Amino acid sequence: MAYSAEISRTNPTAFVFLVDQSASMNDPIGGEIPQRKADVVADAINRLLTELSVKCAKEEGVRDYFHVAVVGYGQSVGSAFSGDLEGRDLVPLSQVADNPARVEERPKKVPDGAGGLVETTTRFPVWMEPVANGGTPMVRALQYAETLVAKWLADHPGCFPPIVLNLTDGESTDGDPSTAAVDVQTHASADGATLLFNLHVSASEATPVTFPESDEDLPDAYARTLFGMSSTLPPDMRSYASQQGFEISDVTRGFVYNADIASVVQFLDIGTRATDLR
Amino acid sequence: MVQFPSGAAYVEALQNTRLCFAEPDLKGAKVELDKLARPRPISGNFASVFSVTTAAGKRHAIKCFTREVADQTVRYRAISDHLNRVEGRWKVGFEYLQRGVLVEGRWYPVLKMDWVEGTGLTRWIEQHVHDQRALVGLAERFAALVADLADAGIAHGDLQHGNLLVASDGSLRLVDYDGMYVPALDGMKAAEMGHRNYQSPLRSDVDFRPDVDRFSAWVIYLSLVSVAADPALWGQLHQQGGEYLLLAEEDYTDPAGSSRFPILLDHQVPEVRELVARVRGMLGAPVTALPPLTPITFTTAQSSGTFRPVQPAAPLPPWMADHVLPTEPVPRARFVGRDSSLTAVALVAPLLVVGTVLLAVLAPAGVALTGVCGLLLWFASTFAVYRARQETRAKRREYARLDELDARLLDINQRLAVLTEEGDALAKSAAQRAASEKVLKAGLQERHRKETAAIDTEAQRQLASIMSRRGGMGAERKRELDQALADLRAEHVRQRLATVSIADAGLEGLGGKLVANLREAGIATAADFAGVNYVTNSQAQNKNPFFRLPSGLTVRVPGFGAVKASRLEDWRQKQEWIARNSQPTGLPDSLRRIIESRFAQRVRDLDELEQQVKASAMQQKALVNERFTADLVAIADQVRAANAVTAQRRVEHDRAVRRCHGEIEAARTAHLIAARETTAYDSITYPRFLRFAFTGR
Ligand SMILES: Nc1ncnc2c1ncn2[C@@H]1O[C@H](COP(=O)(O)OP(=O)(O)OP(=O)(O)O)[C@@H](O)[C@H]1O
């Protein structure tokens, strides 16, 4: 059965994040406290890397179940890591875990369990800083991901298929990304084709859509294009998503529209949880 | 359904134990931190575990659940009740806390366990690979643990390296009771199916019974015993970082293609062979039919049991570094069992020699020759006896085995060479395929470009024609307006002239007769003729006037000569001039509007045509694009399928190569051992045999 390969140190897989860093990411996204889209997305990536590191932490440290690339696209296309990992593409997860650019002390109000709120601080590792500059060369970004994935698969023909996760606010400025998206998904391991998921961060007031099975309810053409580019969720991921309370069918796609901050993390979470780490 | 927090959410919450815990001793307790000074998790599939030390100095393992386990509370209560009634050092004390940890304002259960100071099984084996005694001890304790569980009616449900910790005194601790079976849970389904590298391929989640651990128990025991018997197996079969010991899921699901089974099944140590053969035999058996673990008794009964002591024959080639070889020097083979017939044969020899010598001195040559023949005959027969001796036969057998191993090595190497070729071919065909796909795609792109360009060119041509028509329209409109004005004016003049009668003009010399003649010709007013043409008469040398009628015809009017005609013409011209003075200066608005609106319609028609041309081009392009995308997707589908097939082949190929390497290593070891054994037969030679025949030594 496809999408059932073991993810282990001897059979690791690749996770490629594509992060829209175009000028439009400067725009605020709705919510009670408006935030810049670039901040939302950077936060999501940092959380995700934390989540992955925790998931793969064992007695002796973080294990290299995954190799991770964070690719930014805007003014240019390339690694979006800051700090020691700057300029690197696929990095073994243990190195990612040990080398955030910095660890931020974040003040946080948390419920005290008795109905009140108390102030506390949490340490939050940061690998990627928010950037918003230039156009949205999504086609080039997808081609970049394709190169990484193809090279990875040449060395790991039996791995769980690599996952490419694209976070964007919509419009590609270097052409229709659809065929580039199809091309990424032609690269396959013995366990299945590369998965491409999309997260559409939008300032629009339209209702958020999470894991839809058709583009009917999507409000704009960009969302529909991104939906069309997204892979259907493989069975394991479907069962996780439905465990999380999402309505899921066989044609559900790995796409989230106008996701608020919570569903950003949720989405990423499921993407990684879907794989049974053994 | 409870949605549990993620591992990272727990890491965040545990940064403040004063807030996140309700248990008095955990409130404010110290959490072990990682390199980033955040709580250090140890994560499994269902939970993240943290080390938390209370103010009193007691260390706990706090297990925070990231995934729902069906009926967790019920299960843990039953497990806890049952374990309280059971003895066992393997047990880890725990408490299931409903209000365990506060994350983002909600309470979640945790399992508060005693912290086990121990080393994970894999790491422990790595540290003890060469400590045969320790490994054998652990195997024995493991078997005892499995027996204890069975006696207590318990199954752990997920026996595997991650859940077995070895304490510093070598005793085993079992952690992770999520999937545990105790009798009170009978009838439930398994909460988890266990680690894939430790399960029978036939296990399913309905198998929740006291005997579900059997397969994993065999696998773990087999691994411990095998590594104890031959540490080289660890390096050979366990890939560094692999989530298994010696055997993994792929070996169980496809034993025929396994690279690991043959190495174990052909192993030189019989205990290993037998154990592995048993496990191999269990693969097709239903889970309920698996036998309980029965530990082996070790061949040499030393205190804790060790295998036949073995030592390498120096110097070892590097790939042999880890292989255990017989330690004692190879005992020399000797001839034994000199019976009387052999003694008798031996004794014939001196007689023959003496006889032959005597004959040579005394007897004629022919007789002496008989003696020599006898001697030769003796050598021949003793050689035959030597050849038939069991020691000699054993020597031949050893050498034959060596030859056979040589042949086997040759064979495997040949297979490896074939595989290498196949691998190259695979790479080459994949590269070729990729190249031809590129060409195909480029072709499609080119076609698409051409089709789009053709549509654009045609649309451009039509648009250009529309444009030029629109451009000419201004001049045309002006022409038409001018014409209308001219017509209007001409009509005005005509009407005016029609009111001026010639008869009333009273022109000099134009009497009633002439006026009548004019009327006869249809000319009564100034409007009835346009002018006069004069035609010169060649004979008369004078000019004859011809009146031009508005119809364009010319007529002669009797009585008119050139003079009178010209007077009439002058008059007419004056009348026309008078009429022109009152002609309209511009077009009346109504007329102008009619003309203008006709032109506006024509502009609109052109605009519409332009839109149509554009829309049609766009539609055609959309069709072309659609086809192009469909073609690309079709190619992509093919490419994806082909890529998947290539990947599959490569996986199989890599596996076959690994298998060959395994076989080569096994054959080399066997070869080395066999070669060593043959040295024992250096003493089995014909001269030695003769000495033995004579002396018995
Ligand atoms: N009481 C304990 N003391 C020390 N370490 C422990 C203890 N309990 C668990 N651990 C460590 O935490 C790891 C994960 O714990 P556990 O196996 O209970 O989690 P899980 O999510 O159920 O894992 P699995 O994937 O094996 O089902 C164990 O492999 C072990 O190294």
Side-chain angles (χ1 to χ4, degrees):
Chain A
M1 199 182 70
Y3 301 104
S4 60
E6 175 189 87
I7 299 181
S8 63
R9 279 174 293 182
T10 49
N11 200 21
T13 191
F15 225 120
V16 178
F17 299 103
L18 300 178
V19 189
D20 186 341
Q21 297 184 321
S22 63
S24 63
M25 297 302 281
N26 257 325
D27 300 344
I29 187 173
E32 278 164 36
I33 312 151
Q35 267 184 294
R36 285 195 318 152
K37 288 185 220 162
D39 294 332
V40 172
V41 169
D43 229 50
I45 292 285
N46 290 324
R47 266 178 213 286
L48 184 92
L49 293 177
T50 308
E51 203 70 76
L52 277 177
S53 311
V54 170
K55 186 137 197 75
C56 302
K58 291 286 173 181
E59 194 192 351
E60 74 286 349
V62 174
R63 291 188 181 169
D64 294 328
Y65 294 134
F66 294 97
H67 290 226
V68 182
V70 181
V71 177
Y73 59 103
Q75 191 121 65
S76 61
V77 177
S79 170
F81 279 124
S82 342
D84 288 350
L85 302 177
E86 197 178 309
R88 291 183 59 186
D89 286 327
L90 280 168
V91 181
L93 185 63
S94 62
Q95 292 180 31
V96 174
D98 286 348
N99 295 290
R102 60 198 171 83
V103 179
E104 206 172 284
E105 291 273 353
R106 290 195 172 178
K108 199 182 166 195
K109 283 212 166 55
V110 295
D112 61 4
L117 283 177
V118 279
E119 176 97 14
T120 179
T121 58
T122 56
R123 292 174 61 76
F124 186 84
V126 172
W127 287 269
M128 194 198 101
E129 308 287 353
V131 176
N133 238 327
T136 313
M138 199 185 296
V139 173
R140 254 170 71 211
L142 286 164
Q143 284 164 350
Y144 196 100
E146 187 186 347
T147 312
L148 293 182
V149 161
K151 185 168 175 315
W152 174 265
L153 284 169
D155 299 336
H156 302 86
C159 72
F160 185 93
I163 302 168
V164 179
L165 188 53
N166 180 32
L167 299 90
T168 174
D169 70 346
E171 188 185 5
S172 163
T173 54
D174 64 346
D176 180 7
S178 301
T179 49
V182 168
D183 288 346
V184 172
Q185 294 168 80
T186 59
H187 296 274
S189 78
D191 193 45
T194 298
L195 293 168
L196 173 65
F197 297 147
N198 286 283
L199 176 73
H200 189 174
V201 185
S202 165
S204 131
E205 298 281 298
T207 348
V209 180
T210 313
F211 306 131
E213 39 177 58
S214 83
D215 59 7
E216 258 165 48
D217 296 333
L218 299 177
D220 60 53
Y222 303 131
R224 282 190 286 277
T225 301
L226 287 171
F227 171 86
M229 285 160 56
S230 307
S231 310
T232 50
L233 293 180
D236 266 8
M237 297 201 184
R238 288 207 293 272
S239 71
Y240 284 102
S242 69
Q243 255 185 39
Q244 294 282 325
F246 292 105
E247 262 182 52
I248 296 296
S249 79
D250 283 7
V251 291
T252 295
R253 297 213 189 187
F255 172 78
V256 169
Y257 170 74
N258 202 15
D260 60 13
I261 301 148
S263 59
V264 171
V265 178
Q266 224 172 12
F267 173 53
L268 302 175
D269 215 346
I270 285 166
T272 59
R273 261 196 213 177
T275 51
D276 236 7
L277 301 176
R278 299 268 184 171
Chain B
M1 192 192 70
V2 190
Q3 244 195 53
F4 282 98
S6 66
Y10 283 121
V11 168
E12 198 160 312
L14 261 72
Q15 295 189 31
N16 192 333
T17 55
R18 211 167 291 285
L19 283 174
C20 77
F21 290 130
E23 284 278 293
D25 61 337
L26 294 182
K27 259 192 176 307
K30 263 193 25 210
V31 183
E32 190 182 320
L33 301 179
D34 66 7
K35 287 188 186 128
L36 308 180
R38 288 155 50 88
R40 189 174 87 85
I42 306 173
S43 297
N45 244 338
F46 290 87
S48 286
V49 174
F50 297 87
S51 162
V52 176
T53 309
T54 65
K58 183 149 166 53
R59 192 171 176 196
H60 291 283
I62 303 297
K63 180 167 181 171
C64 303
F65 301 95
T66 48
R67 257 207 239 171
E68 178 171 33
V69 178
D71 313 309
Q72 199 182 41
T73 318
V74 179
R75 282 175 199 269
Y76 264 110
R77 185 160 318 125
I79 293 166
S80 174
D81 288 349
H82 193 78
L83 291 189
N84 280 335
R85 295 195 294 269
V86 179
E87 281 299 304
R89 281 190 72 191
W90 56 267
K91 276 200 306 181
V92 175
F94 69 86
E95 222 182 317
Y96 183 77
L97 307 174
Q98 253 335 321
R99 261 168 74 91
V101 59
L102 182 68
V103 182
E104 317 247 317
R106 272 197 62 172
W107 286 101
Y108 295 92
V110 299
L111 202 64
K112 178 185 172 193
M113 297 176 275
D114 299 335
W115 181 264
V116 175
E117 294 293 348
T119 311
L121 185 58
T122 306
R123 186 122 72 104
W124 188 90
I125 294 176
E126 267 154 17
Q127 289 165 354
H128 294 82
V129 185
H130 293 287
D131 188 344
Q132 189 174 79
R133 189 172 290 227
L135 281 162
V136 168
L138 196 73
E140 283 175 339
R141 280 191 299 281
F142 177 72
L145 162 61
V146 170
D148 283 351
L149 289 176
D151 287 346
I154 298 173
H156 178 271
D158 186 19
L159 277 190
Q160 45 121 327
H161 59 268
N163 291 333
L164 283 161
L165 303 178
V166 188
S168 53
D169 64 354
S171 60
L172 277 163
R173 298 283 186 284
L174 207 44
V175 297
D176 186 7
Y177 304 160
D178 291 358
M180 190 173 265
Y181 170 92
V182 296
L185 297 180
D186 205 68
M188 278 194 169
K189 275 191 168 188
E192 56 173 303
M193 298 253 287
H195 197 296
R196 62 167 84 184
N197 290 331
Y198 292 84
Q199 302 309 322
S200 153
L202 297 178
R203 180 174 176 188
S204 79
D205 65 346
V206 287
D207 295 309
F208 191 50
R209 310 144 38 84
D211 53 14
V212 283
D213 285 341
R214 286 187 178 173
F215 189 81
S216 25
W218 278 103
V219 168
I220 295 169
Y221 185 73
L222 157 112
S223 305
L224 290 172
V225 169
S226 300
V227 178
D230 181 1
L233 288 173
W234 185 251
Q236 230 174 318
L237 303 185
H238 176 84
Q239 210 180 337
Q240 174 81 36
E243 306 292 327
Y244 61 96
L245 296 176
L246 296 188
L247 291 171
E249 186 185 31
E250 60 181 39
D251 302 309
Y252 316 139
T253 50
D254 178 19
S258 157
S259 60
R260 304 189 185 96
F261 265 125
I263 295 175
L264 292 170
L265 287 168
D266 286 344
H267 199 267
Q268 81 219 53
V269 176
E271 286 86 347
V272 173
R273 283 202 301 272
E274 284 154 24
L275 259 174
V276 172
R278 285 202 74 173
V279 173
R280 170 78 176 75
M282 290 175 202
L283 294 180
V287 184
T288 49
L290 298 178
L293 177 63
T294 39
I296 56 167
T297 37
F298 294 92
T299 41
T300 308
Q302 291 188 9
S303 63
S304 192
T306 44
F307 294 91
R308 192 157 67 103
V310 278
Q311 181 138 92
L316 281 180
W319 53 267
M320 278 291 297
D322 244 356
H323 278 279
V324 181
L325 284 176
T327 45
E328 85 274 39
V330 184
R332 302 206 121 214
R334 290 176 46 226
F335 290 105
V336 286
R338 191 170 74 124
D339 55 15
S340 47
S341 60
L342 188 57
T343 321
V345 172
L347 285 180
V348 175
L351 288 179
L352 276 173
V353 173
V354 172
T356 308
V357 171
L358 280 178
L359 283 173
V361 174
L362 303 174
V367 184
L369 208 61
T370 322
V372 173
C373 283
L375 208 56
L376 284 176
L377 210 62
W378 180 82
F379 273 113
S381 58
T382 48
F383 191 73
V385 173
Y386 161 73
R387 294 263 308 162
R389 291 281 307 186
Q390 81 170 52
E391 294 87 348
T392 321
R393 282 211 306 271
K395 176 179 182 175
R396 276 204 303 278
R397 265 201 311 278
E398 278 306 322
Y399 274 96
R401 178 156 164 65
L402 212 54
D403 287 345
E404 186 204 308
L405 284 168
D406 278 333
R408 194 193 302 177
L409 265 169
L410 198 68
D411 172 58
I412 306 171
N413 273 314
Q414 268 161 4
R415 267 191 290 143
L416 195 60
V418 171
L419 277 175
T420 312
E421 259 169 43
E422 281 172 3
D424 292 347
L426 202 60
K428 209 167 132 192
S429 79
Q432 272 168 359
R433 191 169 53 76
S436 72
E437 279 150 10
K438 243 196 199 134
V439 172
L440 207 61
K441 248 173 94 173
L444 273 185
Q445 259 149 3
E446 180 56 17
R447 196 190 71 193
H448 177 250
R449 200 190 55 71
K450 276 195 181 140
E451 284 174 350
T452 317
I455 295 169
D456 282 341
T457 316
E458 173 58 18
Q460 231 44 63
R461 198 187 58 73
Q462 293 184 25
L463 287 177
S465 121
I466 291 172
M467 192 97 103
S468 85
R469 266 190 278 170
R470 193 184 280 135
M473 202 102 81
E476 214 175 310
R477 183 172 134 275
K478 181 164 182 310
R479 233 181 3 257
E480 209 160 301
L481 286 170
D482 290 351
Q483 185 60 52
L485 185 59
D487 289 352
L488 201 66
R489 283 176 170 166
E491 180 60 14
H492 168 87
V493 170
R494 196 193 62 76
Q495 278 176 14
R496 278 299 168 93
L497 291 184
T499 60
V500 210
S501 121
I502 297 171
D504 297 345
L507 289 172
E508 191 198 339
L510 240 74
K513 179 79 184 131
L514 282 180
V515 170
N517 284 352
L518 278 170
R519 187 169 297 132
E520 193 81 353
I523 302 167
T525 67
D528 292 337
F529 75 102
V532 182
N533 294 350
Y534 299 93
V535 179
T536 310
N537 186 325
S538 50
Q539 296 116 39
Q541 290 284 308
N542 59 358
K543 293 192 240 167
N544 288 330
F546 283 79
F547 287 86
R548 280 196 320 272
L549 300 181
S551 63
L553 294 175
T554 51
V555 289
R556 281 230 43 190
V557 178
F560 273 94
V563 177
K564 282 183 184 164
S566 119
R567 192 174 302 147
L568 190 58
E569 193 181 17
D570 287 347
W571 170 81
R572 187 199 164 278
Q573 246 159 28
K574 192 175 164 210
Q575 293 310 312
E576 187 176 330
W577 181 82
I578 295 167
R580 274 201 200 289
N581 269 340
S582 64
Q583 72 182 4
T585 51
L587 271 182
D589 270 358
S590 58
L591 198 58
R592 172 177 289 273
R593 257 203 300 279
I594 289 173
I595 294 171
E596 292 278 19
S597 95
R598 207 171 57 241
F599 272 92
Q601 183 57 45
R602 281 175 65 187
V603 169
R604 274 200 300 281
D605 287 350
L606 278 184
D607 283 350
E608 197 175 311
L609 193 61
E610 181 181 349
Q611 289 313 316
Q612 270 171 14
V613 167
K614 281 184 178 164
S616 140
M618 227 145 90
Q619 201 182 353
Q620 288 174 45
K621 275 210 255 185
L623 274 174
V624 166
N625 279 342
E626 212 170 282
R627 209 181 68 200
F628 178 55
T629 312
D631 287 348
L632 282 183
V633 169
I635 292 186
D637 283 346
Q638 281 171 23
V639 173
R640 179 183 320 119
N643 279 341
V645 170
T646 305
Q648 182 62 44
R649 291 231 185 93
R650 290 194 37 218
V651 168
E652 278 157 19
H653 174 261
D654 291 353
R655 221 162 134 203
V657 169
R658 274 205 303 280
R659 199 180 144 101
C660 269
H661 282 304
E663 283 178 37
I664 287 178
E665 206 161 313
R668 275 177 171 176
T669 316
H671 193 277
L672 205 76
I673 291 166
R676 221 172 92 80
E677 307 269 282
T678 56
T679 59
Y681 292 93
D682 287 352
S683 49
I684 305 298
T685 58
Y686 181 56
R688 290 238 180 197
F689 172 68
L690 289 185
R691 190 183 76 179
F692 170 69
F694 283 114
T695 65
R697 288 192 297 115

